[in-house]
Amino acid sequence: MSVPYAELQVTTYFSFLRGASSPIDLFEQAKALGIKALGICDRNSLAGMVQAHVAAKETGIRLVVGCRLDLADFAPVLVYPTDRAAYGRLCRLLSLGKARAGKGKCHLLWEDLVAWGEGLFVILLPDTADDACILHLRKLKDAFADRAYMALTLRRRPNDQMRLYELANIAHQARVPAVVTNDVLFHTHDRRILQDVVTCIRNHTTIDEAGFARERHADRYLKPPAEMARLFSRYPEAIDRTREIVTRCRFSLDDLAYQYPDEMSVPGQSPQQALEALTWEGATAAYPEGIPPEVRKTLSHELALIGRMDYAPYFLTVHSIVRHARSQGILCQGRGSAANSAVCYVLGITAIDPAWTSLLFERFVSEERREPPDIDVDFEHARREQVIQWIYGHYGRNHAALTAVVTRYRAKGALRDVGKVMGLPEDLIRTLSGQIWGWGRKLDEGALNETGIDLSDRRIRLTLDLARCLIGYIVPLIFLRKDIYSILGPYFRIEFSIEDGVGILFANSGVVKKIYNNSNLIIFALNLALCTFLFMCCDVFIQNDTVFQGEVPRRALRKLLHLLNRIGRECRL
């Protein structure tokens, strides 16, 4: 007989250096075990929801969107939004906590949860059945009524069954329903050792000195519904309530849609009308001798498609930002697939003239893909902060944010960090990692054998195996950053940008000449060094906003060598 159980407390590797499995691994294992729904609850974060949403679609397992909140003055809780509005309030709550605490932290209080908790299911995560737990249950019941629950979870400690019995009793007395969770950290039991490794990385210690920082038991993996029913056979109603919560929490990421700012250029005009007016005005200015028939046809086609997709507000927003930058004399240039758009050209966002090219607009915006457009605009490094502050001032600090990106372990970084956890000597780690070149994604056994190190040693072999498991693992969020270096001469300008590991070369006009992928980044840097020798007439060298004059090319070369070292560090070479 099928057991109606859903696992509602699952941590992925987006709980940085806590969970040990990816969303896709967890959902595939859930499908294999016959679990019908998973509640993803990363710690103070919704960062993994997109991957979880995709994994849920691929496997046919229901995703219950959730989050674990570690409150400063209350026990930890799991929260699940029931609808789109509740999800928005949860996002605002997390933003509030992260703005208070600073990067990588979250500071929330019980009163914050109550203030933003409308439409949220809340599950209390108690440790023991003490007076504090009784007080927390009463406050939870008063604030959330029938949306309040308490978790029953095995800790694998002495008197664990008595602990569960006492928790179930006080929950019954407080009229708060109990629900079973397994507090999952990894999808299969053999991931326990990797979870120990990431715990040691988080705590900056070795596996030999970790002690009680490690998880106390290895049971925090997904279990079949029948096994969960056996483990909690005294609480069948708590098993059944897992499906009850899944049924009541109907929110899905499919409910979300882009909501663009209202850009009112002329009162009384719709965004589409304003965009069309600006487009034809820009086209007239771009072609003073008359708009070529092919360009007019292309503009009409693009505007019609933009109108059908309701993307006009987005184009107006980008145009507003670019227009402000140009009004202040700030160099800027659109790039990427936006260069396929004639509308972007006549609005001054890009510099690719459609009269001289035959570009496919559907590569940029496609009615079949139904994907929102993405216009990348580069601003000069020295004055980029002015643009950012204008955006904050124009749209409001509550409606603007910097983009955060996730990075993943590659072979060299994984080997270094696992080697430190395993207590290997620094010179041995350096020798092993030195056999990995560039952005390597795998460990080459042949190259490692050439080092003369005994790879059959148990600790070294385990280090290599764990490093392979760690490749692709998410490391903590960082803010997207870009560093721009320029060489200026009397007749030329070379500008090199490192943006998320991609090199970009600009010409004097600001037009993007070439984008180098990661594998060519170092080749480009060497070519840049060669340019310094070739263009001995170079009279100014700029690096990170500092202008150097005189002693060229000697001083320029010295600074260029510093630049090459910087590129190497950026690429983790």
Side-chain angles (χ1 to χ4, degrees):
M1 183 179 67
S2 160
V3 177
Y5 176 73
E7 183 52 66
L8 293 176
Q9 190 178 0
V10 179
T11 298
T12 74
Y13 60 19
F14 282 93
S15 287
F16 305 116
L17 300 179
R18 294 183 186 275
S21 294
S22 67
I24 187 60
D25 288 338
L26 290 160
F27 276 88
E28 288 178 348
Q29 181 67 8
K31 182 178 181 180
L33 296 176
I35 300 174
K36 301 301 182 184
L38 286 185
I40 301 299
C41 295
D42 285 310
R43 190 172 300 231
N44 300 321
S45 175
L46 296 169
M49 285 306 157
V50 173
Q51 278 198 19
H53 179 69
V54 173
K57 292 280 190 181
E58 293 177 352
T59 58
I61 304 300
R62 168 77 189 284
L63 166 65
V64 183
V65 175
C67 178
R68 169 175 170 151
L69 300 179
D70 289 340
L71 305 178
D73 59 348
F74 199 81
V77 295
L78 306 177
V79 294
Y80 309 91
T82 56
D83 53 27
R84 169 66 182 84
Y87 177 79
R89 284 187 286 270
L90 175 57
C91 292
R92 293 291 296 273
L93 178 64
L94 290 171
S95 298
L96 175 67
K98 293 179 182 296
R100 284 177 183 164
K103 183 180 176 181
K105 299 179 181 179
C106 187
H107 181 81
L108 289 171
L109 304 173
W110 166 252
E111 61 185 25
D112 299 323
L113 177 59
V114 174
W116 295 94
E118 182 182 352
L120 295 179
F121 276 78
V122 182
I123 300 180
L124 180 70
L125 302 178
D127 190 22
T128 57
D130 52 15
D131 291 341
C133 182
I134 294 173
L135 177 61
H136 289 161
L137 284 171
R138 289 174 181 171
K139 295 175 69 174
L140 194 69
K141 181 66 175 179
D142 292 341
F144 294 95
D146 65 337
R147 291 180 284 116
Y149 292 83
M150 187 194 71
L152 295 180
T153 307
L154 289 171
R155 297 286 184 237
R156 297 300 185 185
R157 300 174 188 172
N159 300 318
D160 215 11
Q161 290 299 327
M162 178 59 69
R163 170 183 163 273
L164 290 181
Y165 175 77
E166 293 173 349
L167 286 172
N169 276 345
I170 64 172
H172 177 72
Q173 293 170 11
R175 300 194 303 280
V176 175
V179 61
V180 168
T181 73
N182 194 35
D183 198 3
V184 172
L185 289 178
F186 33 91
H187 66 292
T188 58
H189 63 86
D190 56 359
R191 276 294 176 102
R192 160 63 192 271
I193 189 169
L194 183 63
Q195 206 280 327
D196 287 343
V197 168
V198 297
T199 298
C200 291
I201 295 173
R202 188 181 77 246
N203 289 282
H204 307 287
T205 187
T206 65
I207 196 70
D208 298 318
E209 299 173 351
F212 288 115
R214 301 166 57 205
E215 294 299 324
R216 297 191 181 189
H217 63 90
D219 256 13
R220 300 181 69 174
Y221 60 91
L222 286 173
K223 298 181 180 65
E227 176 66 6
M228 293 299 296
R230 184 188 69 81
L231 292 172
F232 292 88
S233 58
R234 294 184 176 91
Y235 313 99
E237 69 285 351
I239 290 283
D240 295 339
R241 288 192 188 105
T242 61
R243 294 296 298 176
E244 172 190 323
I245 293 175
V246 171
T247 302
R248 296 178 66 184
C249 293
R250 300 309 304 171
F251 171 72
S252 168
L253 292 191
D254 289 332
D255 299 336
L256 300 180
Y258 276 84
Q259 293 178 300
Y260 301 106
D262 292 328
E263 297 286 348
M264 300 300 293
S265 300
V266 178
Q269 282 188 340
S270 68
Q272 181 66 23
Q273 291 171 334
L275 179 62
E276 291 178 359
L278 288 171
T279 297
W280 294 117
E281 179 184 334
T284 302
Y287 304 99
E289 298 180 357
I291 304 174
E294 286 299 319
V295 174
R296 184 179 294 275
K297 180 181 177 181
T298 300
L299 289 172
S300 299
H301 167 69
E302 292 186 12
L303 288 171
L305 181 55
I306 291 170
R308 290 196 299 272
M309 304 291 286
D310 292 325
Y311 291 155
Y314 176 71
F315 282 81
L316 291 175
T317 297
V318 177
H319 172 259
S320 177
I321 297 170
V322 170
R323 181 178 57 190
H324 169 76
R326 296 194 191 281
S327 71
Q328 302 299 310
I330 300 173
L331 296 176
C332 61
Q333 187 62 68
R335 59 178 172 83
S337 59
N340 290 30
S341 170
V343 170
C344 286
Y345 172 72
V346 299
L347 291 178
I349 298 172
T350 60
I352 305 298
D353 189 345
W356 296 93
T357 58
S358 56
L359 300 175
L360 181 64
F361 180 67
E362 279 69 15
R363 180 176 174 267
F364 174 48
V365 174
S366 172
E367 199 165 8
E368 287 73 24
R369 292 197 308 266
R370 305 294 299 182
E371 295 176 353
D374 180 19
I375 301 176
D376 297 315
V377 182
D378 292 306
F379 298 93
E380 65 172 296
H381 179 72
R383 303 181 65 186
R384 185 177 54 190
E385 186 63 26
Q386 295 179 31
V387 180
I388 294 174
Q389 293 305 320
W390 179 85
I391 292 173
Y392 282 141
H394 184 72
Y395 296 100
R397 290 189 173 270
N398 292 332
H399 299 278
L402 291 175
T403 300
V405 297
V406 293
T407 58
R408 298 175 182 271
Y409 272 107
R410 294 182 182 266
K412 180 172 288 190
L415 185 54
R416 283 174 176 167
D417 282 359
V418 175
K420 292 176 183 177
V421 169
M422 298 300 293
L424 299 184
E426 186 63 33
D427 58 341
L428 179 56
I429 297 174
R430 190 182 306 111
T431 301
L432 291 172
S433 62
Q435 303 305 308
I436 303 170
W437 291 89
W439 294 73
R441 293 179 179 271
K442 62 181 181 179
L443 301 178
D444 186 353
E445 286 287 341
L448 295 175
N449 282 324
E450 293 177 0
T451 62
I453 297 172
D454 182 11
L455 300 183
S456 64
D457 178 85
R458 183 177 182 275
R459 185 165 290 239
I460 295 177
R461 174 52 53 188
L462 184 58
T463 299
L464 297 176
D465 291 342
L466 289 172
R468 289 189 180 93
C469 293
L470 197 62
I471 294 173
Y473 188 96
I474 298 291
V475 295
L477 285 171
I478 61 172
F479 288 114
L480 184 63
R481 57 191 298 271
K482 182 171 70 173
D483 297 316
I484 298 180
Y485 304 84
S486 300
I487 298 177
L488 303 182
Y491 306 109
F492 69 94
R493 168 172 169 263
I494 298 176
E495 184 173 291
F496 174 57
S497 164
I498 300 175
E499 180 178 356
D500 198 20
V502 178
I504 306 167
L505 180 62
F506 297 84
N508 230 353
S509 62
V511 179
V512 175
K513 287 294 187 182
K514 190 168 184 180
I515 298 179
Y516 291 80
N517 59 32
N518 295 331
S519 62
N520 292 329
L521 190 56
I522 298 307
I523 296 175
F524 175 75
L526 295 176
N527 287 334
L528 186 60
L530 181 59
C531 287
T532 303
F533 282 108
L534 293 178
F535 294 103
M536 302 292 284
C537 58
C538 176
D539 56 7
V540 179
F541 187 84
I542 299 179
Q543 184 221 329
N544 280 2
D545 307 338
T546 303
V547 179
F548 302 95
Q549 293 182 326
E551 299 185 16
V552 179
R554 182 184 301 174
R555 191 164 188 184
L557 178 59
R558 186 163 63 246
K559 295 300 176 182
L560 184 61
L561 292 176
H562 173 76
L563 162 60
L564 295 178
N565 290 331
R566 176 72 178 275
I567 294 172
R569 291 196 299 271
E570 293 284 347
C571 299
R572 296 183 180 180
L573 296 176

